[in-house]
Amino acid sequence: MHGVGVFSSLQKDPEMSVEVVVKNSCQSIGEGPHWDDRTNSLLYVDILSNDVHRWSPDTGNDEKIHLDDSVGFVVPCRKGGYIVGLGRSLSHVDWDSRKITKLHEVDKGTKNRFNDGKCDPRGRVWAGTMGYESEPANPERERGSLFRLDVDGSLHACVNKINISNGLAWTADNKTMYYIDSLPRKVYGFDYDSETGNISNQRVVVDFGEGTIPTLGYPDGMCIDTEDKIWVACYGAAKIVRFDPTTGKQLKTVDIPARRTTSCCFGGKNFDELYVTCGVQGSTKEEREKYPMTGSVFRVTGLGVRGRPANVYEG
């Protein structure tokens, strides 16, 4: 659907505009937006509906494939098809044939599931797990890990005792990786070695801080722009915030007419549009009446910045 509604009146910035591009398409948790510049389409998932979506701005079509477990993320493969976090497995999906090939299963004997995932500059997949969630933002604590799937197909656990594994981003010089664990409400930085994929020297780069849950919610998915500033979806706070990870300071806020903003990515032909997903799970009737576009995909234009093309799996 094209431009179902424009919400520019909500913005403080006159050039900025927020519109719905796919109306109410997610029933559980819309997540993991990835702009596929090869096909000029937006990939995203509806986690607990077990669906992978592919939306074309050229046609307005929102296709989806239904899988047999939760889907935390989707990324394209250079050789064709997609890697998805399917339940506790990393799997390859062929869109046309619907063939699923399990590559690795992790966290056996648990109720964990994969959550967010993304490819690094060398085409490895980074993806994290989280413990069973009885309600949004309340999983079993410290049950998750962050994994790295190398291009040779081998899997490595890189960070343990994660609560809710979330956003990932890499700086333009390929020397720093940013990573979010939603429950400490912090964005971490790591020294990143693009040759080996090794990460080290974990530190906090953005701390949402005490007493800010009403205004900032929980850091969820994120993306990075060409100026190496990070855009963080603030779950529960109906906004995306641009931060400077070198100072931890807020630079810009984009209000989104959906409370449970989950993630964002740059896309469009010039990578100057910000696509935003959001969740429905846990929302009340009152919340959905206040935010009738809950579960939609939004597009933000006029930000004055752009992102870089997303990496894909090179294995």
Side-chain angles (χ1 to χ4, degrees):
M1 288 182 193
H2 293 281
V4 173
V6 175
F7 299 92
S8 51
S9 60
L10 294 175
Q11 304 305 330
K12 306 173 184 78
D13 188 331
E15 289 85 41
M16 189 168 30
S17 168
V18 180
E19 64 183 322
V20 173
V21 289
V22 201
K23 183 181 177 184
N24 303 126
S25 60
C26 293
Q27 307 307 311
S28 68
I29 308 167
E31 254 283 12
H34 175 107
W35 182 264
D36 187 348
D37 55 312
R38 298 176 303 173
T39 60
N40 195 46
S41 59
L42 182 75
L43 299 162
Y44 64 100
V45 299
D46 188 355
I47 298 179
L48 301 179
S49 296
N50 306 354
D51 292 333
V52 181
H53 289 250
R54 186 168 68 185
W55 173 74
S56 165
D58 298 327
T59 65
N61 287 344
D62 184 50
E63 306 173 83
K64 69 179 178 184
I65 55 174
H66 184 70
L67 303 177
D68 63 1
D69 208 339
S70 61
V71 193
F73 72 94
V74 55
V75 293
C77 304
R78 180 74 64 195
K79 295 175 182 173
Y82 303 92
I83 301 291
V84 295
L86 187 61
R88 287 185 293 102
S89 297
L90 292 175
S91 297
H92 179 273
V93 177
D94 182 281
W95 190 282
D96 296 323
S97 70
R98 304 296 200 260
K99 184 178 182 220
I100 313 290
T101 307
K102 184 188 287 190
L103 306 178
H104 292 278
E105 184 177 343
V106 303
D107 301 352
K108 292 180 182 175
T110 71
K111 290 183 176 179
N112 287 10
R113 66 165 176 83
F114 270 103
N115 201 43
D116 213 348
K118 205 171 277 190
C119 293
D120 74 8
R122 287 302 181 88
R124 309 173 185 95
V125 175
W126 291 75
T129 55
M130 57 181 284
Y132 174 73
E133 220 176 14
S134 55
E135 58 186 351
N138 188 25
E140 297 173 310
R141 299 298 194 265
E142 297 187 348
R143 297 289 180 89
S145 299
L146 178 64
F147 295 92
R148 187 188 77 227
L149 176 67
D150 286 352
V151 294
D152 65 4
S154 61
L155 189 69
H156 309 270
C158 299
V159 187
N160 297 312
K161 293 195 171 179
I162 298 299
N163 294 289
I164 303 180
S165 189
N166 249 315
L168 291 151
W170 290 265
T171 53
D173 65 6
N174 295 344
K175 290 184 175 173
T176 304
M177 182 178 96
Y178 298 120
Y179 173 55
I180 289 172
D181 183 352
S182 297
L183 274 200
R185 301 178 65 243
K186 291 172 181 172
V187 184
Y188 298 101
F190 292 87
D191 294 346
Y192 163 75
D193 184 330
S194 66
E195 291 296 319
T196 63
N198 290 335
I199 54 173
S200 58
N201 188 28
Q202 181 176 357
R203 64 263 184 199
V204 175
V205 296
V206 176
D207 187 345
F208 272 30
E210 294 294 320
T212 61
I213 287 179
T215 53
L216 284 175
Y218 297 86
D220 202 325
M222 85 176 138
C223 62
I224 195 164
D225 61 33
T226 57
E227 298 170 14
D228 278 344
K229 305 300 187 283
I230 56 175
W231 296 74
V232 180
C234 298
Y235 182 86
K239 64 184 71 167
I240 307 287
V241 176
R242 187 190 195 215
F243 289 94
D244 184 340
T246 60
T247 65
K249 297 282 191 298
Q250 295 182 45
L251 302 175
K252 189 183 195 83
T253 296
V254 181
D255 295 308
I256 302 293
R259 182 167 168 244
R260 297 163 192 269
T261 38
T262 55
S263 193
C264 53
C265 76
F266 283 99
K269 288 185 171 65
N270 298 313
F271 292 93
D272 57 356
E273 302 168 345
L274 189 71
Y275 288 89
V276 180
T277 53
C278 64
V280 179
Q281 184 202 27
S283 63
T284 61
K285 183 167 177 256
E286 291 75 23
E287 180 183 328
R288 293 188 297 275
E289 284 171 355
K290 181 180 178 183
Y291 298 115
M293 294 301 144
T294 292
S296 301
V297 178
F298 301 89
R299 176 170 58 201
V300 187
T301 52
L303 289 169
V305 299
R306 61 184 59 193
R308 298 189 297 272
N311 305 310
V312 302
Y313 183 51
E314 301 286 357

